[in-house]
Amino acid sequence: MADAAVSAVTAVPAGSPALSGSPRLTPGGLRAALERHRLVNLTGPLGSGKSWLVSRLRSARVLDLSRPDGVAAVPEALAETTGQPLVIDGVDGPAALSALSSLSGLSGLSSRSAGVRPMGGTGGTDARPLLLVSRLSLLAHPDWTLSGAMVLGIPSWPDERIRHLTVHAQLADPRARDLVVRLAGGNPLIAGAACRALHAGASPDAPGAVADQVTREIVERLSREEPVDRLQPALERLATMWSGDRELLKADRELFDALGRLSLVTRTELGLTILEPFRSVIEQAHRWRQPAAHKGSWARALAHRRKQLAGESGVTRHSRLAEGAMALSGDDTIRETLFPASPSTGLIQTAAPGDADAIGGLMHQWARQGGMDTRRTDRLVDQWLRDDPAGFRLARDADGRAVGVMGLVRVADRTVHSVEPLLQQHTDQLLDRQRAESLVLGAAFCPDRGLHARLLRDLLHHVMANSLLLTVSTPNPHYQKLLSRLRFQQHGTTNDDVYRCGRKPEIYSQDFGRDAIADWVGRLFHASDRQASRPPTGREVGRALAHIGDADRLAQSPLLIRPRTATVPDLRDWLRDGVRTLADSDIPEDAEAGWILLHYYLGRPQTHQQLACRLHMSRATYFRRLRHGLDVLGRRLAAE
């Protein structure tokens, strides 16, 4: 389990871009960095495994400023005459930074071989190497910006290592292990806290209850940065709103600035945002603990964004506001695909001529994963590269390696050979709109959930900012569901199975011209409004009960638009509780209906005829009771 904490650490010298192929560091590699640089800053989010890594440095003295005696021991440690590294952990918050104020004058010491002596007379080039461990880069602090520190970033754990942790934590239930992986988003602190919550009795069917205990541990760790008691209500509102300015958060300047100083919070064009996966965990806990307050914050944020959209004329700003509105969608497919509980460390770039091999390799992976004919796909990719070599966009990880790809074709005379196989009989209909500004998306692939989401959102920003018509041709059922939920116009399938995978691509399009963006956003949310205002039907309840054990099918239920059943776990819990409550009713007709629903949908598999015989009911009476039960549940959900 411990090895996972050092699976990857990317070394990037201060002031330098991410280097392609940068070495991965183990404790031994970290010591090598200290031999080359006198001042090193190891950074990473709360609970990412920094302390474990530095505790494995042999012969190094480690001071933890979060301990009561940590700050007082700093002067003595700095006065020691030894060449062994000094590690100062917990350099987070005003008190810790103040204790190290005398060190911030160490300028120009990123390389020990440079022969530069420290400013302030703290020693020569052979002075003791220092490793400062913090959640945020010290270069962001005004006293440390010119310190010459070499900054090392520790990345998140891959899902496989989080799952390995659940095995060591002796979680036997596969549902519990899956929940830990989903909540953790690659963070070992969240994973460990979730395991503890499950061992303490929280149910894997109640992710909000597990997230609540995880949030308590997160808040306790944050207290070394700021007094969190007064910040927690605003932190919960911010998590629910995805991003927020002072007006939206109803925060005074002092509270807003205090929130912005937390290491989990970053600044975006739309205001403050909590980093993933912490935002997702805090929001789930808030919804579980205070459902009415959560609903109120969500509704306020949605109204605020829609008001901003209505008054914004700039297309670029409009695209950011649309993103903020989409993040508030109650649709699981949109949120899990475009706004997953996973961090995204890396860059999205337009492909260069030298990226052809990387593109080919990633597209080959895309084809294999989708069950497509790889030779057919390779030929299509070769054609795309010849027609529009700059049409591909790449997702690069923190090391600069290409780990994701998006295949785009800009519509022009020279690209007709690439476009027609993707659109076939729909080509003329879609592209003959007296508009030359068109893009066709043929592929999107990235195994990293966070970077995959950024890749897709980057595409939306690009087409909005350039007022393009976007057409998508995809054989992937998940993307088809996403595009449907995004209210793109559907045009049907192609004549041929383009990728030889047994599925014909479906064609979707959306005009993102200046005037069309507002119409699209309005259509996206008005559709939700209409569904939310319409009472759920008994037929919809019956379909949801029929698929209660299938999360993918349940995710398509229109009942998810209801505030009470906004997620698949919430809907599943509500259906089970509703059926059992109905079966316990004092009204005989309701109780009979509940008994039928309980045994047909939640019991062992059996036919309607078998169940009617057990109840000694005629077929007509049986189905009348069945419909009555479903209708009662629909009315109760509408009332809630």
Side-chain angles (χ1 to χ4, degrees), residues 213-523:
Q213 180 162 327
V214 175
T215 298
R216 290 202 300 272
E217 295 198 29
I218 291 172
V219 169
E220 181 181 350
R221 293 284 196 97
L222 283 176
S223 61
R224 70 177 67 166
E225 301 176 29
E226 294 280 343
V228 182
D229 288 344
R230 69 186 183 92
L231 297 181
Q232 187 165 355
L235 200 64
E236 292 169 344
R237 291 197 299 273
L238 180 58
T240 301
M241 296 170 172
W242 190 68
S243 63
D245 49 35
R246 277 184 59 190
E247 294 176 358
L248 182 53
L249 289 169
K250 292 185 175 180
D252 57 28
R253 180 181 293 276
E254 181 183 357
L255 177 60
F256 190 78
D257 290 345
L259 277 174
R261 287 193 295 268
L262 292 175
S263 63
L264 299 186
V265 177
T266 187
R267 287 172 168 80
T268 69
E269 189 172 350
L270 300 183
L272 301 179
T273 298
I274 301 175
L275 299 173
E276 295 290 1
F278 303 98
R279 187 209 63 79
S280 179
V281 170
I282 294 171
E283 183 193 4
Q284 289 190 64
H286 183 42
R287 182 170 56 218
W288 177 82
R289 184 182 282 266
Q290 296 178 287
H294 175 273
K295 180 180 177 182
S297 295
W298 175 85
R300 173 177 166 78
L302 182 56
H304 185 71
R305 292 292 175 231
R306 293 174 71 170
K307 182 179 179 181
Q308 288 179 308
L309 279 165
E312 180 59 53
S313 59
V315 176
T316 301
R317 170 73 172 171
H318 216 149
S319 73
R320 295 298 178 185
L321 292 170
E323 178 184 30
M326 281 192 296
L328 296 168
S329 170
D331 187 280
D332 283 350
T333 300
I334 293 176
R335 297 194 69 173
E336 291 173 4
T337 306
L338 297 178
F339 307 95
S342 301
S344 59
T345 303
L347 298 171
I348 309 298
Q349 296 177 327
T350 300
D355 292 321
D357 288 344
I359 291 170
L362 288 166
M363 291 296 291
H364 194 79
Q365 292 182 52
W366 170 73
R368 288 174 60 87
Q369 184 187 66
M372 305 172 193
D373 185 320
T374 54
R375 289 176 296 181
R376 169 67 171 165
T377 303
D378 288 345
R379 288 195 295 270
L380 287 171
V381 172
D382 287 342
Q383 184 68 55
W384 296 352
L385 284 169
R386 286 194 299 270
D387 287 349
D388 192 7
F392 287 88
R393 295 182 70 77
L394 292 173
R396 298 186 183 276
D397 65 11
D399 287 338
R401 296 174 300 184
V403 294
V405 65
M406 180 175 286
L408 297 163
V409 181
R410 187 174 295 275
V411 177
D413 290 340
R414 73 178 188 280
T415 61
V416 65
H417 296 298
S418 292
V419 171
E420 285 189 339
L422 298 175
L423 305 183
Q424 295 185 8
Q425 75 272 21
H426 303 284
T427 303
D428 292 339
Q429 172 196 354
L430 287 168
L431 304 183
D432 186 18
R433 297 189 178 182
Q434 299 180 347
R435 289 193 54 197
E437 304 86 0
S438 298
L439 278 180
V440 176
L441 172 62
F445 170 74
C446 184
D448 183 283
R449 289 195 302 271
L451 270 178
H452 177 253
R454 277 187 57 193
L455 193 64
L456 295 177
R457 297 205 309 266
D458 177 79
L459 171 64
L460 290 175
H461 290 312
H462 178 72
V463 295
M464 289 180 189
N466 292 278
S467 300
L468 303 176
L469 168 68
L470 177 64
T471 303
V472 184
S473 173
T474 176
N476 186 303
H478 178 78
Y479 284 122
Q480 293 166 2
K481 184 196 301 185
L482 173 66
L483 294 164
S484 176
R485 300 295 175 85
L486 286 173
R487 309 298 168 186
F488 278 32
Q489 183 179 357
Q490 185 176 4
H491 301 279
T493 65
T494 58
N495 286 329
D496 299 328
D497 178 1
V498 179
Y499 299 103
R500 310 293 189 264
C501 61
R503 303 182 304 274
K504 296 179 180 179
E506 290 187 3
I507 312 300
Y508 298 80
S509 70
Q510 174 58 43
D511 189 346
F512 286 103
R514 177 182 292 270
D515 296 330
I517 295 176
D519 292 338
W520 169 67
V521 172
R523 186 169 71 252

Side-chain angles (χ1 to χ4, degrees), residues 4 157-167 181:
W157 292 17
D159 286 349
E160 304 82 59
R161 290 194 179 271
I162 295 290
R163 192 172 296 278
H164 188 59
L165 181 149
T166 66
V167 175
V181 173

